[in-house]
Amino acid sequence: MATTLKDAVARKPVLATIRLIVPAGAARPAPPVGPALGFYRLNLMAFCKDFNARTQKYKAETPMQVTLTAYKDSTFEFVVKSPPVSWFLKKAAGIETASGRPGHNMVSSLTLRHVYEIAKLKQSDPYCKHMSIEALCKSIIGTANSMGIEIVKDL
Amino acid sequence: MLPLVRPGRAAAPLRRLCRRILLLSSSPQTPSPSSSSSPYSTKISPLLLLLSPRPSPASGGAWRWRGVSSCAVRAVDVGGEAASTSSDLSSPYLSVRIRCRKEDAEVLSEGLLCFGATSVTVDDIAAAGNLDEITITSIYAHGEDVDSSVSNAASSAGLEYKPVYETSVGKQCDWVTVVQETYESTKVINGLWVIPKWRTPPDPQAINIIINPGLAFGTGEHPTTKLCLLLLRETVKGGERLLDYGTGTGVLGIAALKMGAALSTGIDIDPQAVTSACENMMLNEENKPTGGLELKSSKGSYDIVAANILLNPLLELVEDIIGYAKPGGIVAVSGILTEQVPKVEEAYSRYLENISVSEIDGWACLQGSRKA
């Protein structure tokens, strides 16, 4: 293991960062969890049990964003965040998939009101708490544009 | 589609019986008396596994079945839909390695997740050193259009170039076996160990439960399994009947038998778990007499009921779980975090008295005895 100055600063050496989308309360050793964690020999069942227990308070099957940090000693930590903005947008717009050519093909439109509601939901996520509503709205509008969803003032 | 009814068999090798799922000819009737709108009581079809200790051979080798034991595996239809919703575990998946610039990695990962990837892994950026490019590994379900997903992700991330990538097909079994090899023997407490089947017990005198984990839960490492095993250690004196609700690998049922219980029954909604439990039972050389056991008729007859599952099922199935215990019998529930204990206590205090809670590492186990 490298003994750089960075490692010496009380931080366990990180092997990889894994981002997943897992339905709340429904983590199983099947893909996506299985191969992603299995590749680094992490304890799958412990993750599934832990994740499922911590996401009991959410509506079942809601896709939650999970960021896992795998350390070189085969231990890991993970944080559970709210569902991705794209999921909220798809639900609000009632579409299944985003546009293949954003900017050229628009698949749906939403109003500023929708954006505001999503921003409020996102603010309850502890990882977005530091952002102002305005900043969140701008970020959501950006995501919507990259998905081919038009944001209009009124529908 | 449910398999047909098969008559019970008196003696048959475990291997064959394990793979049979027998359907009780009882009328479909949910065991849970709670409202039928609860998602669990209408969808699950618990598979039943009966265990009982090997009877000591009275006359030498007359009926000692070397390495052979039998178990009855029955699917109880609780409302029509018996199909398990777990995904096909032998299906392949696509593993895509993408190269992109270091500074684009973050945005590109977001894009990939947005456009159909089920997971994105970035190897440690710091370790990449001075390289300009970094590799992202992404997993897709089989049959997904990787090409359009990658190009959509790249365009939504604002990349001017299309990242180079290569796709390979991965198989489930590859990583399952790899992870299994990392399991070590676990000491629960002095004199009680859980050993993976490929290791030798460090203490041959102790109670050693041999487990092949497979894809079921219960290797002995998790705090909740330990909590339940410790509880069993205290409460099993000899001759009890135990119900392991949500049996996983069957570790709790097998442990109880080794500690002296007379009968262990395990149920689970996951067919993988029942297969795993059957195998583990064989590894521990326990056998059972066949013979029908109607799950419903055994209500109210168990001395100990152990349920190591999750908060929501525990709350939904309170009455079902309590129903299996006899008055004065012990009910233990786990798989809950310490912060979830108040909710569980509130739901269970209606039926249990002498409630006590034990904790390890932020996980809790609640036990009590059923009110008469």
Side-chain angles (χ1 to χ4, degrees):
Chain A
M1 275 200 247
T3 48
T4 61
L5 192 60
K6 203 194 307 186
D7 287 338
V9 182
R11 194 181 76 115
K12 283 205 280 188
V14 173
L15 185 58
T17 309
I18 307 174
R19 300 161 73 132
L20 299 163
I21 301 201
V22 192
R28 298 224 152 71
V33 177
L37 271 70
F39 186 75
Y40 294 99
R41 298 177 172 245
L42 302 175
N43 193 337
L44 289 160
M45 300 311 294
F47 169 74
C48 290
K49 185 94 173 173
D50 209 331
F51 173 82
N52 288 338
R54 284 179 207 290
T55 51
Q56 289 290 289
K57 55 187 178 220
Y58 300 106
K59 189 168 164 198
E61 306 285 337
T62 315
M64 312 297 294
Q65 293 186 95
V66 185
T67 304
L68 250 145
T69 312
Y71 297 109
K72 291 206 165 96
D73 59 359
S74 293
T75 55
F76 63 90
E77 282 171 358
F78 69 93
V79 288
V80 181
K81 305 182 199 175
S82 52
V85 168
S86 54
W87 180 77
F88 283 110
L89 286 167
K90 283 187 207 169
K91 267 193 93 176
I95 53 172
E96 282 293 319
T97 48
S99 159
R101 295 181 63 218
H104 301 273
N105 294 344
M106 299 313 231
V107 283
S108 188
S109 11
L110 291 174
T111 62
L112 281 175
R113 175 125 211 107
H114 288 111
V115 175
Y116 181 65
E117 294 293 330
I118 296 174
K120 283 213 299 198
L121 281 170
K122 270 286 179 179
Q123 249 208 346
S124 56
D125 180 356
Y127 293 91
C128 297
K129 229 185 257 191
H130 60 279
M131 291 170 79
S132 68
I133 287 272
E134 201 190 339
L136 280 168
C137 285
K138 283 194 184 156
S139 150
I140 293 168
I141 293 175
T143 309
N145 286 334
S146 73
M147 289 169 69
I149 297 178
E150 210 180 341
I151 303 292
V152 295
K153 212 158 166 218
D154 284 304
L155 268 176
Chain B
M1 277 302 293
L2 297 171
L4 301 172
V5 179
R6 299 189 70 99
R9 291 187 171 233
L14 171 69
R15 230 174 279 278
R16 275 198 281 134
L17 261 189
C18 250
R19 281 158 180 60
R20 301 268 155 84
I21 298 185
L22 309 177
L23 176 63
L24 285 178
S25 54
S26 56
S27 52
Q29 195 188 333
T30 89
S32 164
S34 58
S35 71
S36 58
S37 60
S38 128
Y40 296 102
S41 59
T42 49
K43 270 199 242 166
I44 59 168
S45 51
L47 303 170
L48 174 61
L49 170 66
L50 289 170
L51 311 166
S52 107
R54 181 220 304 265
S56 52
S59 53
W63 51 313
R64 181 177 12 221
W65 301 329
R66 195 179 67 78
V68 168
S69 34
S70 51
C71 70
V73 179
R74 294 151 191 262
V76 179
D77 180 1
V78 292
E81 259 192 45
S84 71
T85 48
S86 60
S87 52
D88 181 10
L89 290 165
S90 58
S91 59
Y93 57 90
L94 295 172
S95 175
V96 183
R97 293 178 63 80
I98 306 170
R99 293 197 67 77
C100 70
R101 283 207 303 261
K102 221 194 285 191
E103 52 267 16
D104 298 326
E106 184 77 26
V107 194
L108 185 58
S109 330
E110 290 265 2
L112 286 166
L113 284 172
C114 182
F115 281 101
T118 47
S119 93
V120 177
T121 307
V122 181
D123 287 335
D124 187 27
I125 292 191
N130 292 327
L131 294 173
D132 263 339
E133 292 210 322
I134 196 173
T135 309
I136 305 180
T137 311
S138 193
I139 306 234
Y140 286 82
H142 195 62
E144 286 269 342
D145 184 356
V146 176
D147 193 57
S148 65
S149 171
V150 173
S151 38
N152 287 339
S155 67
S156 94
L159 300 181
E160 316 87 44
Y161 61 96
K162 183 166 166 197
V164 175
Y165 67 91
E166 58 187 44
T167 314
S168 55
V169 180
K171 277 244 148 64
Q172 281 291 81
C173 36
D174 302 334
W175 48 264
V176 173
T177 34
V178 159
V179 174
Q180 287 205 4
E181 279 155 24
T182 61
Y183 284 131
E184 298 283 336
S185 307
T186 311
K187 177 177 173 180
V188 178
I189 196 175
N190 273 336
L192 180 61
W193 288 74
V194 181
I195 321 277
K197 80 169 183 190
W198 49 86
R199 302 219 190 269
T200 45
D203 179 5
Q205 301 302 320
I207 299 181
N208 293 314
I209 307 164
I210 304 171
I211 296 283
N212 181 14
L215 286 166
F217 180 80
T219 54
E221 298 171 320
H222 202 268
T224 52
T225 318
K226 286 188 185 161
L227 283 165
C228 291
L229 287 170
L230 289 171
L231 182 141
L232 286 181
R233 184 116 162 133
E234 278 161 38
T235 44
V236 174
K237 308 273 185 293
E240 285 92 350
R241 296 162 54 95
L242 169 92
L243 176 67
D244 188 1
Y245 198 100
T247 190
T249 51
V251 59
L252 297 183
I254 297 170
L257 290 175
K258 295 218 166 196
M259 292 174 195
L263 176 75
S264 269
T265 308
I267 62 176
D268 205 295
I269 56 172
D270 182 5
Q272 279 276 331
V274 177
T275 317
S276 177
C278 269
E279 188 189 340
N280 290 324
M281 194 182 65
M282 184 168 74
L283 285 173
N284 286 280
E285 291 175 25
E286 307 288 348
N287 69 16
K288 74 153 274 312
T290 56
L293 180 71
E294 281 262 358
L295 191 56
K296 281 175 273 303
S297 69
S298 66
K299 277 238 174 196
S301 68
Y302 289 98
D303 300 283
I304 310 175
V305 175
N308 183 6
I309 36 187
L310 289 166
L311 175 68
N312 287 346
L314 284 176
L315 295 177
E316 293 265 359
L317 298 163
V318 178
E319 282 151 15
D320 194 35
I321 295 173
I322 303 277
Y324 284 107
K326 69 170 202 228
I330 300 198
V331 176
V333 297
S334 189
I336 47 182
L337 299 163
T338 312
E339 69 217 18
Q340 296 168 338
V341 168
K343 264 196 182 166
V344 178
E345 195 167 347
E346 194 191 315
Y348 280 75
S349 52
R350 243 180 88 190
Y351 305 95
L352 297 182
E353 54 197 3
N354 301 330
I355 293 183
S356 65
V357 177
S358 47
E359 286 180 45
I360 296 181
D361 269 355
W363 295 90
C365 175
L366 184 142
Q367 65 164 347
S369 41
R370 181 180 180 181
K371 292 184 184 165

